Amino acid sequence: MTVADVLMIALGAVAIGAGALVVTSTHLVRSGLYLVISLGAIAGLYLVLGAELVAWVQILVYVGAVVVLLLFAVMLTRAPIGPSPDLDRPIGPSALVGAGVGLGLAALFADAFRWIEYPRGDPGTAERVGAEIFGTWVLPFEVLSILLLSALVGAIVLSRPDIGRRSGQPNGPPDPTEMQTVEAAEEVPS
């Protein structure tokens, strides 16, 4: 067993453990932080495999952007920061489904590759990856950026209950005629 094998096992255990904590924690913010650990361990796996560019993209895009956006969305929508009883659900069915999918994928890979060592291809350079992203895949890249911007605007709209409500409704903006009446009543000398 080489050092790379030990690192792969350790980083895989960290990624799986943090992923389990993401779905079992009743604290929404802690789940987001466990997601950072899991995605960081996956980036470490990419580094061990020699895919440095993918590892840094993983850190920049998923850890640095998506998780931060998730935490901002949690804070802007006034979601409960502490433990939430809505997130405390039985884990039996989900654990059964997860274990079944994991065993099925493991059997599929074991059957497909049968422990045969295949020659490694040439590692992708930043120039090749950039040419693919901004050449062939530029439209999905731009659609994804619009989707993320829409999610941010939606979180802001959801966090402002006064947007879209008519005046006089609960949690809506005050009715200007009522405010003028109150101000006029306060100005009447006693």
Side-chain angles (χ1 to χ4, degrees):
M1 183 175 284
T2 63
V3 175
D5 294 336
V6 173
L7 284 174
M8 290 281 289
I9 292 171
L11 289 170
V14 169
I16 292 173
L21 289 173
V22 169
V23 296
T24 58
S25 177
T26 58
H27 294 254
L28 203 52
V29 175
R30 288 183 186 174
S31 292
L33 296 177
Y34 290 136
L35 186 61
V36 169
I37 295 172
S38 180
L39 293 174
I42 292 172
L45 289 173
Y46 289 140
L47 281 177
V48 173
L49 291 173
E52 291 89 3
L53 180 65
V54 179
W56 294 120
V57 168
Q58 169 87 7
I59 290 174
L60 287 175
V61 174
Y62 288 100
V63 177
V66 172
V67 174
V68 171
L69 181 66
L70 174 74
L71 292 177
F72 269 113
V74 167
M75 287 186 278
L76 287 175
T77 56
R78 298 178 187 167
I81 301 297
S84 176
D86 296 342
L87 299 176
D88 191 15
R89 297 185 177 170
I91 61 171
S94 59
L96 186 64
V97 171
V101 170
L103 287 175
L105 285 175
L108 179 68
F109 281 119
D111 183 58
F113 294 105
R114 298 186 182 275
W115 309 110
I116 299 172
E117 290 189 15
Y118 291 94
R120 297 175 68 178
D122 296 331
T125 62
E127 183 180 354
R128 286 177 54 194
V129 174
E132 287 292 324
I133 289 176
F134 296 109
T136 307
W137 300 100
V138 68
L139 183 61
F141 185 77
E142 292 298 327
V143 169
L144 181 63
S145 65
I146 293 171
L147 177 67
L148 290 174
L149 180 63
S150 305
L152 183 61
V153 171
I156 291 171
V157 170
L158 288 175
S159 68
R160 297 276 313 269
D162 56 331
I163 295 177
R165 294 196 179 165
R166 295 182 183 156
S167 61
Q169 288 184 339
N171 296 328
D175 189 3
T177 57
E178 291 179 3
M179 290 181 65
Q180 291 174 354
T181 306
V182 171
E183 289 174 0
E186 289 176 355
E187 292 177 359
V188 172
S190 56

